[in-house]
Amino acid sequence: MWALHSPHNLQSSSTSTPFYFPTRTSSRPPICSLTLNPSNPKNTGTNYNQLIQSLCKQGSLKQALQVLPHEPNPTQHTYELLILSCSLQNSLSDGLDVHRHLLDAGFDQDPFLATKLINMYSELDSIDDAREVFDKTRKRTIYVWNALFRALTLAGYGQEVLGLYRRMNQIGIPSDRFTYTYVLKACVASECLISLLHMGKEIHAHILRHGYESHVHVMTTLVDMYARFGCVSYASCVFDSMPVRNVVSWSAMIACYAKNGSPFEAFELFREMILETHDSVPNSVTMVSVLQACSALASLEQGKLIHGYILRRGLDSILPVISALVTMYARCGKLELGQLVFDRMAKRDVVSWNSLISSYGIHGFGKKSIQIFQEMIQQGLSPSHISFVSVLGACSHAGLVEEGKMLFESMVKEHRIYPSVEHYACMVDLLGRANQLDEAAKIIEDMRIEPGPKVWGSLLGSCRIHCNVELAERASRRLFELEPMNAGNYVLLTDIYAEANMWGEVKRVKKLLEARGLQKLPGRSWIEVKRKIYSFTSVEELNPQIEQLHALLLKLSNEMKEQGYVPQTKAVLYDLDAEEKERIVLGHSEKLAVAFGLINASKGETIRITKNLRLCEDCHSVTKFISKFANREILVRDVNRFHHFKDGICSCGDYW
DNA sequence: ATAGGGTTAG
């Protein structure tokens, strides 16, 4: 009996001698022998329970598992620590082992351990096992429900969570504050293509009805949910209604503005946070969002000020902050400064590298981007799926079709990363821009996952560049189903029809757009001069210099015509005569911003402009001309990438 | 009885 249970026996099967086992060679009796005496009913192995527990706490899971068979009565606490240990060691096989043990020991209906098991399986990415634990547990405490909700949400099964939540309500099990945070997250953590915003609003109502309107965690999650749906005004309503806010709530709201095209509001809220609160001091997370706002605005001056603040606050050694700094400098047109920040990093992770890879990408340096990607791998880091999004995007901007195809193939073959919709969208973009539209369409056909709006959108965008009506109609049909409220898709299609002179169709799609209450996003350009940001649209009337700007452009246009410039008016979506179209194109917001820069920026200073749409062809060729004629470097960031105009040429090589 | 949650870089 003793021999059978002796850890000493076990010892021989393992290669090295675990330090805690008594050795037979010693003259003293083994320390554990007393408690192992089966004739003593009171000594039911409590020492082994403690041994297992302390081994778990030290992280010696394997050794704990070796001892486990010798403990006739493992306690709930012992199992709890074992389960926790399996998660920490990231070992599914051990987890399954512990689970089997626990069932044999009669803990199969213990809701406490069921909760722990679900958490464990969730962390070990074994969602089916988590579900099974839930299904087999009859006494489901709110902890058990919440654990499954959390597990499913993290795994992207948002819809399933909402179905279960419905069931829970029907059975009459009350939600608690944790339930609300999980189900709110479930609304946005869904792989499905339809929006679950309506569910989010419903849950919002439940939350108010059950008196959680002043609960910081729940309300912050609510702000974040609306933020992720892009419902900025809803998010700010909730935020304003919060009686108690902390640094997380402030950060969530700032992030909401920064990520949804409201960078000014992000700054305003940041200012308010600093000036008007005493208990919510900005932390690294806050600063990351503020840096994103600088990036969105392409405001180098603001960015530098924020960098200063970060240094003063001692937040400059936090990885996410530095990566955001790299991106900020690159997206504000200072690629060299981004590189400098990167070079000075003491430690780098995949994200830092990704920042640099995409920075070179948006500036059009495709080869350099690939080179950095490879350097990262040589340094022993594994590329993430974002690394591939970044490097494939870089290939796309630079027209590196073959390189892009090879990288795409290497994803699964060399790195075991399975392409997501985003990667497919990159490939469709890469091939489509390079006028290999049929091959792009074939990629979509061969996809093993459902092509989402991103993929069809890439195809439609390429059709716009190469004016392919037939494919565009196919892509837009799908897009109108998938995201009926995205005005951009309708506009792209009308662009294509207009270029093909199909004015009847242009009219039809425009009507469709109006019928759905949508509006074309007006083109807007920004320029920063002497720490101030000036915004332009083509219908600009507020700028006091507007007459002067129009006059300058007209003068430039006439000079250009003498040198062979022909206005390219195909961006005009109205069936007007040539002269009228020319006038419209000459009033594009980007040209106004350039003219403003020529008049107001210091001599020799690079003119930096940001645009909310893709650069139109006419603006592109006019800017090229101006860069030579006025002997000015002009940097334009359009919605996708940078154009660096100098001496009459553009860094994109007219490929964008 | 015990336990668990919200914001973050590309």
Side-chain angles (χ1 to χ4, degrees):
Chain A
M1 191 68 186
W2 156 226
L4 250 172
H5 283 272
S6 163
H8 204 80
N9 265 6
L10 231 116
Q11 199 182 326
S12 56
S13 66
S14 92
T15 45
S16 63
T17 309
F19 66 93
Y20 52 86
F21 283 136
T23 48
R24 281 284 190 178
T25 47
S26 147
S27 56
R28 283 183 298 149
I31 348 169
C32 300
S33 63
L34 266 177
T35 54
L36 268 176
N37 185 352
S39 63
N40 182 351
K42 288 224 168 147
N43 287 335
T44 46
T46 21
N47 273 358
Y48 276 161
N49 266 323
Q50 278 168 11
L51 183 55
I52 297 168
Q53 290 171 16
S54 63
L55 284 168
C56 285
K57 284 179 191 159
Q58 298 164 19
S60 313
L61 172 63
K62 294 286 175 205
Q63 288 151 344
L65 286 171
Q66 285 183 345
V67 184
L68 182 61
H70 304 285
E71 171 54 66
N73 289 310
T75 61
Q76 188 198 40
H77 188 53
T78 298
Y79 281 120
E80 182 195 355
L81 293 179
L82 280 165
I83 292 168
L84 223 68
S85 208
C86 293
S87 306
L88 287 171
Q89 303 289 316
N90 207 10
S91 168
L92 180 59
S93 57
D94 289 334
L96 289 162
D97 213 29
V98 171
H99 190 177
R100 269 191 296 272
H101 249 278
L102 164 167
L103 296 180
D104 290 342
F107 281 107
D108 59 314
Q109 288 302 324
D110 183 330
F112 178 80
L113 288 179
T115 308
K116 297 289 173 188
L117 279 169
I118 293 171
N119 289 339
M120 177 193 78
Y121 283 127
S122 163
E123 266 160 62
L124 300 176
D125 289 321
S126 186
I127 199 70
D128 289 334
D129 286 309
R131 235 188 242 115
E132 201 185 307
V133 173
F134 178 85
D135 289 338
K136 291 194 172 155
T137 307
R138 286 186 296 272
K139 188 167 180 284
R140 292 174 190 147
T141 60
I142 191 65
Y143 288 95
V144 178
W145 282 94
N146 288 346
L148 186 71
F149 286 174
R150 191 179 93 108
L152 291 172
T153 300
L154 286 173
Y157 296 101
Q159 266 198 312
E160 194 179 335
V161 172
L162 297 171
L164 282 167
Y165 174 65
R166 276 248 155 79
R167 220 175 87 201
M168 194 174 137
N169 287 335
Q170 280 161 7
I171 311 170
I173 299 169
S175 304
D176 69 2
R177 54 197 198 279
F178 293 91
T179 316
Y180 289 123
T181 60
Y182 296 137
V183 291
L184 284 175
K185 275 180 162 289
C187 296
V188 273
S190 165
E191 290 286 319
C192 76
L193 299 170
I194 56 154
S195 162
L196 294 174
L197 175 60
H198 64 283
M199 270 307 293
K201 289 182 179 172
E202 207 175 295
I203 296 164
H204 185 173
H206 297 178
I207 288 168
L208 299 184
R209 203 179 307 146
H210 291 95
Y212 285 98
E213 70 277 348
S214 52
H215 194 286
V216 189
H217 279 86
V218 173
M219 295 315 264
T220 305
T221 317
L222 199 50
V223 168
D224 185 57
M225 180 206 71
Y226 283 125
R228 283 173 208 267
F229 279 121
C231 303
V232 181
S233 55
Y234 278 81
S236 75
C237 260
V238 174
F239 181 78
D240 290 342
S241 80
M242 289 172 70
V244 186
R245 300 181 195 128
N246 60 20
V247 60
V248 183
S249 339
W250 284 91
S251 304
M253 194 60 225
I254 291 172
C256 170
Y257 285 132
K259 288 196 168 139
N260 287 292
S262 308
F264 288 108
E265 287 82 352
F267 277 121
E268 186 48 40
L269 201 63
F270 175 59
R271 206 185 58 86
E272 201 181 313
M273 181 183 182
I274 292 178
L275 296 179
E276 291 171 30
T277 73
H278 306 287
D279 38 3
S280 298
V281 182
N283 62 13
S284 64
V285 181
T286 324
M287 296 323 293
V288 166
S289 292
V290 176
L291 284 172
Q292 281 179 340
C294 300
S295 304
L297 274 178
S299 167
L300 184 60
E301 294 305 324
Q302 277 295 337
K304 284 179 176 170
L305 289 174
I306 297 298
H307 191 173
Y309 178 83
I310 287 167
L311 289 167
R312 286 196 299 282
R313 291 286 321 284
L315 299 169
D316 57 313
S317 56
I318 293 165
L319 274 183
V321 174
I322 311 176
S323 300
L325 272 172
V326 172
T327 305
M328 183 276 289
Y329 278 120
R331 293 186 65 89
C332 289
K334 285 283 186 187
L335 184 55
E336 332 78 73
L337 281 181
Q339 174 80 61
L340 194 68
V341 172
F342 180 86
D343 290 341
R344 289 186 177 170
M345 288 178 82
K347 222 176 77 191
R348 303 181 184 111
D349 63 0
V350 198
V351 184
S352 343
W353 285 91
N354 290 349
S355 302
L356 200 65
I357 292 168
S358 73
S359 294
Y360 277 96
I362 54 169
H363 279 273
F365 298 105
K367 293 238 163 93
K368 178 82 180 170
S369 188
I370 297 174
Q371 188 199 319
I372 295 164
F373 175 83
Q374 285 161 346
E375 202 182 319
M376 171 183 80
I377 295 170
Q378 275 162 17
Q379 303 249 329
L381 278 124
S382 308
S384 68
H385 67 110
I386 305 279
S387 313
F388 278 102
V389 173
S390 308
V391 76
L392 290 174
C395 292
S396 181
H397 293 315
L400 303 173
V401 178
E402 289 313 311
E403 289 87 341
K405 279 184 183 169
M406 273 165 61
L407 284 162
F408 186 68
E409 291 221 336
S410 78
M411 284 182 67
V412 178
K413 276 191 192 154
E414 290 171 36
H415 305 283
R416 311 261 149 225
I417 296 177
Y418 291 87
S420 69
V421 264
E422 273 183 288
H423 301 107
Y424 282 110
C426 284
M427 287 311 287
V428 169
D429 193 69
L430 173 70
L431 294 163
R433 274 178 202 278
N435 206 5
Q436 302 184 16
L437 282 166
D438 291 331
E439 208 170 322
K442 197 174 171 301
I443 288 246
I444 299 181
E445 265 168 40
D446 294 345
M447 275 176 69
R448 296 177 55 200
I449 50 176
E450 191 63 34
K454 276 188 187 150
V455 176
W456 290 112
S458 290
L459 187 66
L460 186 61
S462 299
C463 291
R464 162 79 187 84
I465 297 169
H466 302 291
C467 195
N468 184 322
V469 175
E470 198 197 318
L471 259 185
E473 285 178 337
R474 225 171 87 195
S476 50
R477 245 196 313 276
R478 290 294 293 134
L479 281 166
F480 294 162
E481 287 168 22
L482 291 173
E483 37 176 35
M485 301 310 273
N486 184 341
N489 298 326
Y490 299 86
V491 175
L492 275 173
L493 187 61
T494 46
D495 281 348
I496 296 164
Y497 281 138
E499 190 165 346
N501 276 318
M502 298 164 70
W503 298 103
E505 294 298 302
V506 172
K507 225 175 179 176
R508 185 180 63 82
V509 181
K510 273 190 182 172
K511 273 203 180 132
L512 203 59
L513 189 74
E514 279 165 28
R516 299 199 171 159
L518 301 170
Q519 272 186 346
K520 178 180 175 169
L521 179 69
R524 189 179 282 278
S525 300
W526 293 268
I527 182 169
E528 190 175 41
V529 176
K530 301 191 176 72
R531 288 203 174 179
K532 275 181 115 174
I533 292 170
Y534 300 85
S535 159
F536 292 91
T537 62
S538 55
V539 288
E540 188 59 52
E541 277 158 6
L542 289 172
N543 192 294
Q545 293 177 315
I546 193 70
E547 298 299 327
Q548 205 185 340
L549 302 182
H550 280 300
L552 176 60
L553 287 172
L554 196 63
K555 188 178 135 240
L556 286 168
S557 163
N558 288 331
E559 280 164 17
M560 285 168 60
K561 279 184 189 160
E562 281 169 27
Q563 298 188 23
Y565 156 72
V566 181
Q568 292 148 64
T569 57
K570 62 187 181 186
V572 181
L573 290 186
Y574 301 92
D575 195 5
L576 303 167
D577 61 48
E579 213 168 293
E580 191 62 11
K581 281 188 179 181
E582 219 182 291
R583 205 184 57 75
I584 291 175
V585 169
L586 198 60
H588 275 179
S589 68
E590 193 229 313
K591 296 193 186 77
L592 293 174
V594 171
F596 184 85
L598 285 176
I599 295 172
N600 297 292
S602 336
K603 263 215 154 3
E605 188 190 337
T606 301
I607 293 175
R608 300 159 184 282
I609 288 164
T610 313
K611 220 183 131 50
N612 64 343
L613 301 171
R614 181 178 173 268
L615 215 51
C616 93
E617 279 190 45
D618 190 65
C619 283
H620 197 265
S621 59
V622 166
T623 312
K624 279 200 291 188
F625 174 84
I626 294 177
S627 74
K628 186 170 185 189
F629 180 80
N631 192 24
R632 275 278 195 167
E633 281 187 44
I634 302 170
L635 198 56
V636 180
R637 190 182 89 188
D638 76 8
V639 72
N640 296 316
R641 59 163 297 157
F642 273 95
H643 299 261
H644 197 152
F645 299 93
K646 195 183 170 184
D647 296 329
I649 29 179
C650 177
S651 62
C652 76
D654 301 340
Y655 184 89
W656 81 99

